[in-house]
Amino acid sequence: CGTSGSVSTITEKLLINPSIMMTSIKGASPDYSYLYGELETAGKCLESAIQIVIGKGESTDELYNECASLIEKSAPGANGVLFSQFLHGCKTPFEDNNIRSSLSGLRLETKKKDILRAVAEGICYHFRWILESQEKLISIHEYIRFAGGLARMPIISQMLADITGHPIETIKHPQYVGAIGAAAIAAVGLGKISLDDIPNYIEIERTYMPNKSLKSIYNKAYKNYLSKVNYDRQLAKKWR
């Protein structure tokens, strides 16, 4: 999960399901495919929010650390603020190039920390939505591997575990997962290792377990998020 995001689940089946705008694609192994769901904007949403809310120029590690600190100070559920992360439309589980992001639940007491947390939670709600859509077609593994730039932020990894209800694993240098995968496949092609050897070279850095005490809070917020998305879709139709 970086600028954009995706949810890929390994399956032995070749699947095409237009109702949720997902299809399985062949991977490196001839025996498996990957059921693929896409978030048009994920980390880009948080980056944009940081620029608007904190506004200190180009994004840096220091800015993201400040963002994480603010998010931690806001309660789970972002004090009622909801964000739908459609800065560049939506691809799955529905396709709509006209839908746009919006914030709701703002009030006089709303703080910067609540807005930033709402953006992060909105990204995680979309991940959950795609996971649940995939689960209607195939079995989902209990443990979810989280990679990309956002996986460098422990607060986001824990939030994803709490919202999806799945344990979340992160690896070392998650922002380079694409390059690591490409290098591993190249090594297989050169005959240096086999596909079965690859997991031995991928080190799990940390596992985040869901906080069960937050389940009811996030289930309610997730339900509200889905209702908000439906409203956003109807509003987008009026703008066309």
Side-chain angles (χ1 to χ4, degrees), residues 59-117:
S59 297
T60 61
D61 287 346
E62 288 75 18
L63 266 182
Y64 277 93
N65 288 337
E66 183 177 349
C67 172
S69 178
L70 285 169
I71 289 174
E72 288 176 352
K73 293 175 182 176
S74 178
N79 289 314
V81 181
L82 283 171
F83 175 76
S84 51
Q85 69 310 325
F86 304 120
L87 291 179
H88 194 58
C90 182
K91 291 298 182 186
T92 50
F94 65 89
E95 184 172 18
D96 189 337
N97 293 324
N98 294 296
I99 192 171
R100 289 295 178 262
S101 293
S102 66
L103 279 165
S104 63
L106 298 175
R107 52 184 181 170
L108 290 175
E109 296 82 5
T110 299
K111 306 297 183 184
K112 291 180 180 181
K113 61 182 181 179
D114 303 319
I115 294 174
L116 290 172
R117 187 175 189 102

Side-chain angles (χ1 to χ4, degrees), residues 110-129:
T110 299
K111 306 297 183 184
K112 291 180 180 181
K113 61 182 181 179
D114 303 319
I115 294 174
L116 290 172
R117 187 175 189 102
V119 171
E121 288 179 345
I123 297 167
C124 294
Y125 292 143
H126 199 166
F127 269 105
R128 174 173 169 175
W129 194 8

